[in-house]
Amino acid sequence: MNLAGRLRALIGQSGPLPLSRFMADAVAEYYATREPFGAKGDFTTAPEISQMFGEMLGLWAVDTWTRLGRPRPCALVELGPGRGTLMADLLRAGRVEPGFHEAIAVHLVETSAGLRARQRAALAGCGKTLTFADRLGEVPDMPFLLLANEFFDALPIRQFQKVGAEWRERLVGLDAAGQFAFRLAPEPADLAGLLAPEQRDAPPGSVVEIGLPARAIGAEIAGRALRHPGAALAIDYGAPLPGLGDTLQALRRHAHAPPLRDPGEADLTAHVDFAAIAAAARGAGARVFGPLAQGEFLGRLGIRLRAARLKAAASPPQAIEIDQALERLTAPAAMGSLFQCLCIASPALDEIAPFDPAEP
Ligand SMILES: C[S@@+](CC[C@H](N)C(=O)[O-])C[C@H]1O[C@@H](n2cnc3c(N)ncnc32)[C@H](O)[C@@H]1O
């Protein structure tokens, strides 16, 4: 039985499911069975657009490693490494800093066996041993640099809708035709302590999204950063401030698809709640920088200089491609504003480039 069949049977037995259960199963199935990346897949991520993205993150990594006191050994952790492109570009750029390569141990947190194989192939010549983990908790507790690009958006969320003065959970059930459809839970949900002040007084009809796994990972990173020198960079699409609204979306062949149709066959994501992750990390004692819009982040790190360097050695068609990639990564109308960068770091660090100083 395929995943849709299994989920229908489960709903038939136990009733409507939290969206988080539906999403977790759909995302796991999707990455286990599909080739999602590139023109022939469903979407294209920043490292797949241009080597410049991973190279800028490489500069961020060596600069941050220096600020951390050049720990050796230092885990270089990536959550959801996709095809391994970001890590390959980062490691190449990291060679500018003597001692960096020797100090780092690469840990890839990836649940998909197929993508692990892709990552092994992409990183075959990088000169580092790769250690794989299913979850961050399996990575040794030690000084660290951590990167997560378009990882948090795949983590399961729950949705709640305001009905009168109460919040009711939006559950996934079946309609009369046996298709997946949202159903409101009959009983109110207690969201005390889970909502930001801006969300509490939402008008009736509003939808709020709560991603407990994302918050838990934010707190877990913070805990590590309290025990060891460390810094984590999360890059994803989402609003910098707490918001309202249904952001669940499915992408298939680069086009939007109905999110509940065909679980496991489309890329199912939701906007990342950066404010909630930042609050979880601050609450656990870490220092938080940003969020900073991706265009600003890459601009401050010097991506325009890098593009000019690459263009100096490029053919005219390649130079056009470099300009187009730069525009896609940084322009506000493309990925420059929608994508945000958040850094969670050890409390001793009061500056991390290229962020503004953290609030005390
Ligand atoms: C959208 S892709 C991003 C890939 C890559 N970071 C990039 O920018 O190209 C999401 C990645 O996260 C992985 N992933 C999704 N959910 C995960 C989970 N719960 N635990 C570990 N990895 C997960 C996927 O297998 C995939 O590698």
Side-chain angles (χ1 to χ4, degrees):
M1 199 189 287
N2 67 6
L3 177 63
R6 295 199 301 276
L7 288 170
R8 278 197 186 89
L10 185 60
I11 293 169
Q13 274 164 15
S14 345
L17 303 170
L19 175 59
S20 51
R21 168 66 197 268
F22 181 93
M23 194 172 169
D25 286 8
V27 170
E29 174 84 2
Y30 176 73
Y31 282 107
T33 57
R34 306 261 143 186
E35 168 53 67
F37 299 93
K40 289 191 184 144
D42 298 315
F43 56 81
T44 304
T45 57
E48 304 296 335
I49 291 172
S50 167
Q51 67 184 76
M52 294 185 288
F53 184 80
E55 289 171 348
M56 290 301 109
L57 265 54
L59 298 188
W60 178 86
V62 292
D63 181 74
T64 305
W65 177 67
T66 306
R67 290 171 195 265
L68 292 174
R70 302 170 70 89
R72 180 178 179 165
C74 177
L76 177 60
V77 186
E78 186 175 358
L79 306 183
R83 292 211 277 207
T85 310
L86 190 165
M87 184 58 83
D89 292 336
L90 182 158
L91 289 173
R92 196 179 59 254
R95 291 199 179 276
V96 296
E97 180 65 27
F100 178 70
H101 257 248
E102 296 70 25
I104 55 168
V106 177
H107 292 266
L108 304 175
V109 178
E110 174 62 69
T111 41
S112 157
L115 286 176
R116 283 187 181 194
R118 299 293 297 260
Q119 293 151 20
R120 260 188 220 103
L123 295 165
C126 77
K128 298 300 301 181
T129 302
L130 308 177
T131 307
F132 287 92
D134 281 331
R135 60 192 69 83
L136 178 57
E138 294 171 10
V139 175
D141 199 15
M142 61 193 281
F144 69 93
L145 291 164
L146 181 149
L147 300 136
N149 186 61
E150 290 208 44
F151 168 80
F152 280 94
D153 65 353
L155 297 180
I157 55 154
R158 291 168 72 182
Q159 287 186 338
F160 299 86
Q161 188 168 337
K162 194 92 174 262
V163 179
E166 295 172 342
W167 291 99
R168 300 278 178 99
E169 183 153 14
R170 296 185 83 209
L171 303 169
V172 181
L174 297 173
D175 65 15
Q179 302 300 319
F180 297 110
F182 280 110
R183 297 269 170 269
L184 279 189
E187 70 285 354
D190 179 8
L191 300 187
L194 290 176
L195 298 183
E198 299 89 324
Q199 296 166 324
R200 274 178 217 140
D201 299 326
S206 303
V207 172
V208 72
E209 296 179 333
I210 296 182
L212 293 178
R215 296 178 188 204
I217 292 176
E220 185 177 352
I221 292 170
R224 286 174 180 255
L226 258 58
R227 294 188 292 274
H228 305 279
L233 183 64
I235 305 180
D236 232 304
Y237 62 105
L241 297 172
L244 295 167
D246 171 9
T247 72
L248 185 70
Q249 67 170 36
L251 273 185
R252 202 168 178 178
R253 307 244 175 285
H254 299 266
H256 288 278
L260 299 187
R261 193 195 286 167
D262 304 327
E265 294 184 26
D267 175 44
L268 196 56
T269 59
H271 282 204
V272 171
D273 185 348
F274 284 101
I277 297 173
R282 268 195 207 100
R287 211 176 272 260
V288 176
F289 300 84
L292 184 62
Q294 176 174 297
E296 185 68 21
F297 176 83
L298 294 173
R300 291 185 190 179
L301 284 175
I303 194 168
R304 288 181 186 81
L305 279 176
R306 180 64 183 140
R309 275 280 179 85
L310 288 172
K311 279 168 68 178
S315 66
Q318 286 171 331
I320 291 172
E321 275 179 24
I322 293 166
D323 278 336
Q324 286 171 340
L326 181 63
E327 177 79 5
R328 234 174 127 181
L329 292 173
T330 60
M335 298 172 79
S337 297
L338 179 58
F339 280 73
Q340 301 282 327
C341 309
L342 182 81
C343 178
I344 300 171
S346 296
L349 289 168
D350 45 22
E351 277 190 33
I352 294 260
F355 293 93
D356 297 329
E359 288 165 25

